[in-house]
Structure formats: structure tokens, C-alpha cells
Amino acid sequence: MMQKLRNIFHSFPIQLLVLHVRSNHLLLAMWVVFFLLVSGALASKLGFQYLFLDPEYLGAVNFWSFFFVGIGFGSFFMSWNLAIYLLSAHYFPFLASLARPFTKFVINNLLLPLSFLIVYLGIMVYFQRYYEGLVFREVTLNAVGFLSGMLLLIILYSIYFQFTNRDISYYESRPERPPHLTRAYTPGRRQVDLEYIKLDSTRWRVDTYLSESLEPRLVRSVAHYDTKMLMSIFKQNHLNALILQLISMLVLLVLGYLVDYPPFRIPAGASLFILASVLTALIGAVIYWFGEWSMTVIIVLLLGLNILTRNDNFNYTNKAYGLNYETAPAEYSLKRLQEASNSTRIEDDKAATTAILERWKAKTEEEKPWMVILCSSGGGLKSATWSMQVVRTADSLLNGQLLEHTVLITGASGGMMGMTYLRELYLQQQRGECVDVHDPRYIDDIAKDLVNSIAFTIVSNDLFIPWAPFEMNGYTYYKDRGYVFEQQLNENTNGILDRRLEEYREPEASATIPMLYLTPSIVNDARRLIISPQGVSYMMKAPVGQRYPKAVEVDAVDFRWMFQDQDAGNLRMLSAIRMNATYPYVLPNVHLPSRPGIEVMDAGFLDNYGIVSATRFIQVFREWILENTSGVMLLQISSSDKVEEITPSGGQGIVESMFNPLGIAGKVLVVQEFEHDNSLGFMYDLLGEERFIQIPFFYRPTEDNKLEASISFHITQREKADVMRAMNHPSNLSSLEQLQQLLSPPAKQK
């Protein structure tokens, strides 16, 4: 029994696995990450597992979407084997004595990939069958699609090696070269003492290996072979591997140029596999060339890259499309902000907004109408879908009274994507276009996938310096994942959001549509940037700052005022939406034309629920509200429940407890909720309990759905259906009933 165990342990597949655990930690980590992603143990709230379990291609989950994921997996599988072969083949000199050594190496290196494949297919089949409700035939077809894509790429690699790699028979039949030509024609890592490896049987013992027919074969001694010949075989195989990896990167560059064409936007899961294949190739190359110095070299390369990219010629920063970056940049200084927040401009902007409020009141035909403010939280496509579903349902039940009474829409990220789209539909409806804002098919549009195009562009374009130019609203920029996000969102919404910021100035001013604030966070100093076609300088500081200038700080910036000389009104509305929804790393931070340069990202980091903007607006126009309205009705539309379970702190080891002080940093949204509740309490005191009503709409997963919809730019059909059904939750039905009592047409006062 013990002898059998020893034989198994000293077989080539097991020894390769031992080698990975001992030496190839970075390359082994790639598989660990994919295991965690697919199982949902890592980034489940962001929906990363759905990118592999429910991939979309051209808006559909089918054979072809899984086929491309299979191609991506095949690329990673072969790249990983190539890297391992480059780094490890010299430990096993018997390979050089075999026909087709790389093929046999891959077969014996299947333990990890095969384990992942079995786990992945098992989870995928279960997910597709029980969470998506697909019939057995559809699930089988999807699995066949994945396997077909994987096998196709492996076959292409095999054909390449069949015609390029040479084995022992080739070198034995070849005449000996003159001494001056025996130098290896490919550089390698540090010199390997192959003679020592051949003679020392305890160095890395392998007794058996698997052949192409999966039959165990005994390893034969290679001590009688010429060392130079064995090294030539390895180096020639290495050269072909490196050439193939370079070709793969070139293909990615070409595909990046074609990203404007939807058929080239492969599923995000495939893109992640391809990204892993590129990283694997890079890691393998660095370790191959520099051996034990590899970590030092990686650190030096990262530091060098950081220094190099400080130069504008080697660094690309994403821009807001429509702004003029060629003119003198705007001055962004504390002095200028303080001057603006204490100038007569504030009174002018307040007067202009008051005129909008007067037109809104006249439109309602009520003596004292309720003023509605919509606050929509961030949360990716889940929040976009939920926000549209809430407003569409409520406005339909109220025969259009909800949107008619709405003065301001604010919020963050995905929620504002949905609200901006809904408002544009409402504008077209108001202008007599053939649009029904209550039609559920528009929710289908906003729920369409955005992640695939982003992920593919990261892999094929943004890993390199973006180089493909394009023109937008009169200025030239370069394509990157920010550009692709806007193009994909524009396609999903049938092109109706491709407008300039200035085009909304008159519809808002005439109270045809509600005002809307997009409020991305300024990375430099944690202020909010208020993007609106109207002048909103009164939002830059709390109202008390007008009476006591030194009492409070400027905590927000009026975008239109700050960038008036940089063509602020020409800003593409899709860029404004993206600035407001710039989730870290998924989308690039936007750099604005100022001195010093302003960098902005997702609004959710400072005001994920839009409450800060809403309460500031109420503070500024408190007197008008009290005199002209019945009060303020604030609809809080949130894509997640505010009540969270308390996380226990016990049962931790000493290493885990060291990270406890950092835990509060991950509670940004919870801290915001506490602060927002405090602000809402202040609103009750400011307006009076009868003049301020908060009506919450929270998405909660239904009882038959075990998984809460994820926070990402991808939402599955099951998740979308669950979000739509959440309107039937008792708390949301109660909120609808309260809305009907306050805004239903019979209650209108003439």
C-alpha cells in the first residue's frame, strides 16, 4: 500500500502540483482567484460570478456567449501552461527525450485546470438550471458552447506547436553544427546546470508520466544524451512559447481598435480570462528572465513605470467629452471658491431657480402643491432598474402626478443613470413624441449589459496606452473604457441620451422637466462637483455661510461656473452620467481642465443617496417652500435595505484582529446613512413635521430569490425580475398608498 502511494506521489502530475505549491505562487494564485470568483466567495456583491455563470454576448445568454468564454478560458489555460513550461521544464530533463514534450507536459499538468473545469461546469449548470430556470437542453447547449470554444483554442495552439516545436528525433537526425554555431539562439534565464539535474536522482524525482493516450509510462534516464542537445530542445520550445504570447498581445491591440463594433465586444468573463492570460505571460516572462531577482525587478519596473508616466507623453488621462482642454485651464483654488460663494452670483442663481419654482407651481394648477424631490441611490444596473420601476409604477398609478410634482432629482451612480434616462423619456413625451414613460420596455433598455464592453476594452486597449482618436462635440480625444461605456449606454438607450448639457437648460428653466443634479466626488479635496445646466452656486456652501462667511467651508463646486471658459455647456450628457457613476478601476477617473487638475469619481463616495444635495436645496429655498407649498415630499429610492446585521468582532485570531481598526473604512455607506438620517431629522425641524414627509422605497429580495441582486453594470434576467417584483413588498406597497393619498388627482386644490 505504501509503495503504491509512493508511486503515485512520484508521478509527474503530482510532482508538478507539488512544484506549483512550492515555487509558482503567483501563477497558482490565478487559479485560486478564479475558484473564488466562480463560487461567489469573492466579490459576490459586485456580481463577478455572473460574468462567468451568465455571460452575455450581443445582449443574449446562449451558446455563443459561452463559446467566447470558453475561448477566453482556453487562452488562459494555454498561457498558464506556457509560463509553467518556461519556468519548470528544465527540472524534468526526461521531457527532452520524448516526442512532443510540450504536449505531454500539458497533459500531466491538468490537475489544477481540470479541477477548476469540473467545479465551474457544475456551478454553471446548477445556476443556469435553478436560478435562470433554463431547460436541460438549453443548459447542455451552453455547456457545449463553453467546451467548444475552449477546445478550438487548444487545437489552434496544438497545430502551431506541431509545426514549430522540435523533439529529440529532429536533433538526433541533424548534423552536428560547428562549435561557433552551437550558442543558444534564444536568451534564457540564469544558466541551468542540466548535467547536475541529470545525474542527481534526488533533485526532482519522477518515476512515471502520462502519455497522450493517458497511459502511465516509466521515465527513462537521459544521462546518455548530450546536454547541449537537451538544452536546444528546451530553448527552441521556449522561443515558440514567447512568440505565441507576443502574437496574442498583438491580436489584443488589433481587437481594441475594433471595439466600436458590437460583435467584437466579447463577454466580460472571456475578457477576464484573457486578462489573466496576459498577466500570466508577463509574470512568467519576468521570472524566466530574472529568476530569484524577479520580485526585485517587478518592484523596480513598477517604480520606473510610475516615474515614466508622470510625463504627459507617456501618460493618458481620461477626459470629459465636450470640454475644451486646449484653452487655458480653469483656476481651482480655495480663494476662487470662497470668492464665488460670497459673491452676488449666488443671489442671481437663487433668483433664477426661484423663477423655475414659480413656473413649476403654475404648471401644477394648485394653490399649494406638494414639492417632490427624488433621491435615487447608487448600485449599478440594479439601482437603475429599481429606480425606474419605482417612479414608473408610482407615476402610472397617479396618472402622471408624481413627475408633475417633482422639482429635483438627485442621487448617485446607477440610480441616476436610470433617472436621467427616465427624465429624457418624460421630456420627449412632454414634447408630443410617441413615447410612453410608463412603458416597461424602457426598463429593459437600461438593464442591458454594460460590463462586457468595459472589460474587453480594459484587456484589449487600456492595458496599453489608448491610441485610437475620435472627435466629440468639436474636440478630439482618445478611446478607452470610458468612451466605450458611453457608447454602449448610448446604444442601450437608443441614442436619446447623446445630448449636450446645455440642451437641458431651457426645458428645466420652463419647468417642463424636473431639475437634475449629477454630483461626482472630487478626489483632490473630497468636495462634490454639482453638474447642472442651471447656475447652482448656492449649493456650494451651507446658507449660513452667506451671513457668516468664515463659519463654514465651501464643500461643493458649481461645474457650470467653474468651467465656463472651457465650454461647460458643451459637456456630453453621457460623460456627466459616467462621471457620476465612476466605480473605481472599472471606469477611469475623469480629469478636468483646471489648474491644479481636478480628478473626479463616483458620487456615491460622498453622497450615495442624494440626501446631501436634497437637504441643501431645501435649506436654500426654505422660505419659498413654506410660503408656496404644502411641504416637501422626499422619495428615498434605495437599492438596498438600510438595516444591516451587526457584525460580531469575536472569534478572531491575532492576525485578523490587527485589521479591526481598518474595518470602519469599509463602512462608508453605513456612515453616510447615519449622517443622512441626522440631516432628515433636521429637515423635520426646519420645515415642521407636517411639512416634510419622507417616503422610502427599498429593494429587498423576494422570498423565492435566495440571492440579492448584485451591484455591477450587469444584471441577470432573474435579478431583474426580482427587482421588478420588489414593488410588491408590503413596505413598498404602503409607501405607494401614502403617495396616492397625498398626490392623487381628486386631492388637487383648484
Side-chain angles (χ1 to χ4, degrees):
M1 182 66 180
M2 291 299 297
Q3 184 61 39
K4 288 183 178 180
L5 291 176
R6 289 193 189 97
N7 291 339
I8 294 174
F9 179 75
H10 290 295
S11 65
F12 196 24
I14 298 299
Q15 288 302 302
L16 279 174
L17 185 61
V18 171
L19 177 63
H20 301 330
V21 175
R22 191 203 75 165
S23 303
N24 301 322
H25 300 137
L26 289 176
L27 298 176
L28 181 64
M30 296 285 187
W31 290 106
V32 174
V33 169
F34 280 121
F35 269 111
L36 295 176
L37 286 175
V38 168
S39 66
L42 179 65
S44 60
K45 286 191 175 181
L46 298 178
F48 269 70
Q49 72 269 42
Y50 300 153
L51 305 182
F52 303 96
L53 306 178
D54 197 49
E56 284 190 17
Y57 177 65
L58 297 178
V61 179
N62 52 27
F63 172 91
W64 292 109
S65 64
F66 278 96
F67 177 79
F68 283 109
V69 175
I71 286 180
F73 176 74
S75 172
F76 170 60
F77 168 73
M78 293 304 295
S79 181
W80 183 76
N81 273 291
L82 287 170
I84 296 294
Y85 186 72
L86 282 172
L87 301 176
S88 308
H90 66 275
Y91 287 120
F92 309 101
F94 72 89
L95 284 171
S97 67
L98 305 177
R100 299 175 297 280
F102 179 71
T103 301
K104 291 182 174 62
F105 181 88
V106 172
I107 291 172
N108 285 268
N109 199 28
L110 276 177
L111 281 180
L112 266 177
L114 190 59
S115 299
F116 174 81
L117 186 62
I118 293 171
V119 170
Y120 169 72
L121 289 176
I123 296 176
M124 185 272 285
V125 168
Y126 178 81
F127 179 87
Q128 291 284 317
R129 184 71 182 89
Y130 293 99
Y131 284 96
E132 290 301 309
L134 299 185
V135 298
F136 181 76
R137 176 183 172 277
E138 293 174 312
V139 174
T140 303
L141 194 62
N142 290 342
V144 170
F146 177 85
L147 294 173
S148 299
M150 178 189 71
L151 291 174
L152 173 64
L153 201 77
I154 292 175
I155 290 171
L156 292 177
Y157 270 76
S158 301
I159 293 173
Y160 169 80
F161 283 116
Q162 181 70 28
F163 286 98
T164 57
N165 275 7
R166 307 299 182 187
D167 55 33
I168 193 74
S169 60
Y170 172 82
Y171 286 92
E172 285 182 330
S173 62
R174 193 177 57 168
E176 185 175 353
R177 292 181 297 171
H180 68 284
L181 295 178
T182 58
R183 184 174 60 87
Y185 54 83
T186 59
R189 58 206 296 252
R190 63 193 183 283
Q191 186 64 34
V192 178
D193 190 351
L194 204 61
E195 289 286 356
Y196 174 71
I197 294 176
K198 289 196 306 178
L199 297 174
D200 186 2
S201 61
T202 63
R203 179 63 180 266
W204 206 281
R205 178 181 169 185
V206 176
D207 295 337
T208 60
Y209 68 92
L210 294 177
S211 66
E212 284 96 330
S213 59
L214 301 183
E215 295 178 357
R217 299 286 178 84
L218 290 175
V219 170
R220 300 185 183 280
S221 173
V222 293
H224 62 285
Y225 286 109
D226 180 60
T227 299
K228 291 181 180 180
M229 181 174 65
L230 296 178
M231 288 302 297
S232 296
I233 295 173
F234 282 131
K235 286 185 176 292
Q236 189 270 338
N237 279 243
H238 292 171
L239 175 64
N240 290 333
L242 291 172
I243 290 174
L244 199 59
Q245 289 171 339
L246 290 174
I247 292 174
S248 299
M249 291 186 185
L250 181 62
V251 170
L252 284 177
L253 276 172
V254 174
L255 289 176
Y257 186 78
L258 301 172
V259 76
D260 272 338
Y261 303 96
F264 290 96
R265 300 174 193 166
I266 62 176
S271 297
L272 291 177
F273 277 130
I274 294 173
L275 174 61
S277 70
V278 173
L279 293 177
T280 298
L282 292 175
I283 292 171
V286 171
I287 297 175
Y288 176 70
W289 295 114
F290 300 102
E292 295 176 358
W293 286 88
S294 57
M295 287 305 299
T296 303
V297 170
I298 289 174
I299 294 173
V300 171
L301 287 175
L302 290 175
L303 292 175
L305 180 65
N306 184 66
I307 295 172
L308 182 66
T309 52
R310 290 177 180 176
N311 188 311
D312 290 341
N313 294 325
F314 297 96
N315 183 26
Y316 171 79
T317 55
N318 181 269
K319 296 176 172 56
Y321 308 139
L323 290 187
N324 185 355
Y325 286 78
E326 298 173 0
T327 188
E331 178 191 347
Y332 185 69
S333 64
L334 184 59
K335 178 182 177 182
R336 187 177 179 216
L337 294 178
Q338 290 173 336
E339 289 175 353
S341 62
N342 296 321
S343 67
T344 58
R345 182 182 185 87
I346 288 184
E347 293 303 320
D348 294 339
D349 288 346
K350 285 174 63 177
T353 302
T354 300
I356 295 175
L357 296 177
E358 294 286 355
R359 296 184 192 104
W360 163 79
K361 179 185 175 184
K363 187 183 70 171
T364 65
E365 300 181 356
E366 297 179 31
E367 182 181 347
K368 286 195 171 184
W370 279 99
M371 175 187 287
V372 175
I373 297 178
L374 301 180
C375 294
S376 180
S377 79
L381 292 189
K382 173 180 72 171
S383 185
T385 303
W386 174 238
S387 298
M388 286 192 67
Q389 170 70 341
V390 169
V391 176
R392 181 192 72 86
T393 302
D395 193 63
S396 178
L397 289 173
L398 294 166
N399 297 317
Q401 291 300 301
L402 178 60
L403 288 174
E404 183 177 308
H405 281 75
T406 301
V407 166
L408 176 66
I409 304 173
T410 186
S413 194
M416 291 305 287
M417 285 170 53
M419 288 294 92
T420 307
Y421 182 44
L422 185 71
R423 189 182 73 148
E424 174 59 34
L425 293 169
Y426 182 62
L427 173 60
Q428 294 197 11
Q429 180 176 285
Q430 295 293 90
R431 289 175 170 173
E433 300 289 338
C434 186
V435 171
D436 179 6
V437 74
H438 305 139
D439 193 330
R441 67 187 175 93
Y442 296 119
I443 295 183
D444 296 335
D445 291 339
I446 202 65
K448 290 177 181 176
D449 177 79
L450 292 168
V451 145
N452 287 334
S453 52
I454 296 172
F456 178 67
T457 308
I458 292 174
V459 174
S460 63
N461 186 79
D462 290 13
L463 285 180
F464 317 97
I465 296 177
W467 56 280
F470 71 97
E471 186 176 309
M472 184 68 65
N473 292 353
Y475 302 107
T476 300
Y477 312 95
Y478 290 90
K479 296 178 183 178
D480 63 0
R481 62 189 185 278
Y483 164 80
V484 170
F485 170 85
E486 293 185 23
Q487 294 301 94
Q488 186 67 69
L489 180 59
N490 191 40
E491 292 173 16
N492 292 354
T493 54
N494 305 302
I496 68 173
L497 286 176
D498 196 3
R499 294 179 175 271
R500 297 179 301 113
L501 181 65
E502 189 67 22
E503 293 182 56
Y504 289 100
R505 182 170 173 79
E506 189 281 327
E508 286 189 8
S510 63
T512 303
I513 57 174
M515 291 179 286
L516 182 143
Y517 293 165
L518 295 170
T519 58
S521 308
I522 299 177
V523 176
N524 308 52
D525 52 23
R527 289 183 168 90
R528 293 177 304 123
L529 186 67
I530 314 292
I531 301 178
S532 169
Q534 314 301 325
V536 290
S537 57
Y538 50 78
M539 295 290 292
M540 294 175 63
K541 182 189 287 189
V544 69
Q546 295 299 299
R547 299 191 300 274
Y548 306 102
K550 296 183 180 180
V552 293
E553 275 286 343
V554 176
D555 60 7
V557 180
D558 181 353
F559 170 84
R560 190 168 170 271
W561 160 76
M562 171 60 68
F563 297 102
Q564 55 190 321
D565 295 331
Q566 287 72 36
D567 213 356
N570 195 44
L571 175 70
R572 193 188 195 196
M573 197 63 187
L574 288 162
S575 290
I577 295 171
R578 174 168 61 88
M579 291 160 67
N580 200 62
T582 301
Y583 198 84
Y585 308 113
V586 176
L587 289 174
N589 289 356
V590 178
H591 294 252
L592 298 176
S594 62
R595 183 184 298 115
I598 293 176
E599 186 176 347
V600 298
M601 63 186 301
D602 202 296
F605 283 90
L606 297 177
D607 187 15
N608 191 55
Y609 303 93
I611 302 296
V612 174
S613 297
T615 53
R616 175 68 55 82
F617 184 86
I618 293 170
Q619 280 183 278
V620 172
F621 296 101
R622 172 179 175 271
E623 294 181 3
W624 189 94
I625 291 170
L626 291 174
E627 182 179 344
N628 293 276
T629 72
S630 296
V632 174
M633 195 182 305
L634 188 145
L635 266 65
Q636 186 175 357
I637 307 172
S638 179
S639 62
S640 60
D641 201 332
K642 291 181 65 175
V643 180
E644 296 187 7
E645 295 294 331
I646 298 174
T647 305
S649 60
Q652 295 178 327
I654 188 171
V655 176
E656 292 173 290
S657 62
M658 292 174 62
F659 295 93
N660 282 346
L662 303 177
I664 192 67
K667 302 293 183 181
V668 173
L669 297 183
V670 177
V671 173
Q672 281 190 29
E673 289 170 3
F674 293 151
E675 293 294 332
H676 291 163
D677 286 345
N678 185 59
S679 298
L680 293 175
F682 175 58
M683 290 298 102
Y684 283 101
D685 295 334
L686 191 69
L687 298 178
E689 292 186 8
E690 301 298 323
R691 307 290 292 273
F692 181 75
I693 299 177
Q694 178 203 7
I695 302 180
F697 288 92
F698 293 125
Y699 161 69
R700 297 177 175 91
T702 55
E703 292 183 1
D704 61 340
N705 188 45
K706 299 178 182 179
L707 298 175
E708 179 179 344
S710 58
I711 303 171
S712 76
F713 289 134
H714 176 90
I715 185 170
T716 67
Q717 292 299 316
R718 183 183 180 87
E719 288 179 324
K720 186 175 73 172
D722 189 64
V723 169
M724 302 286 279
R725 288 194 301 267
M727 281 301 297
N728 297 321
H729 191 280
S731 63
N732 293 326
L733 291 176
S734 176
S735 294
L736 277 177
E737 184 179 352
Q738 186 179 12
L739 262 180
Q740 285 182 288
Q741 291 174 353
L742 294 169
L743 292 180
S744 58
K748 293 176 74 173
Q749 303 172 8
K750 293 284 182 121

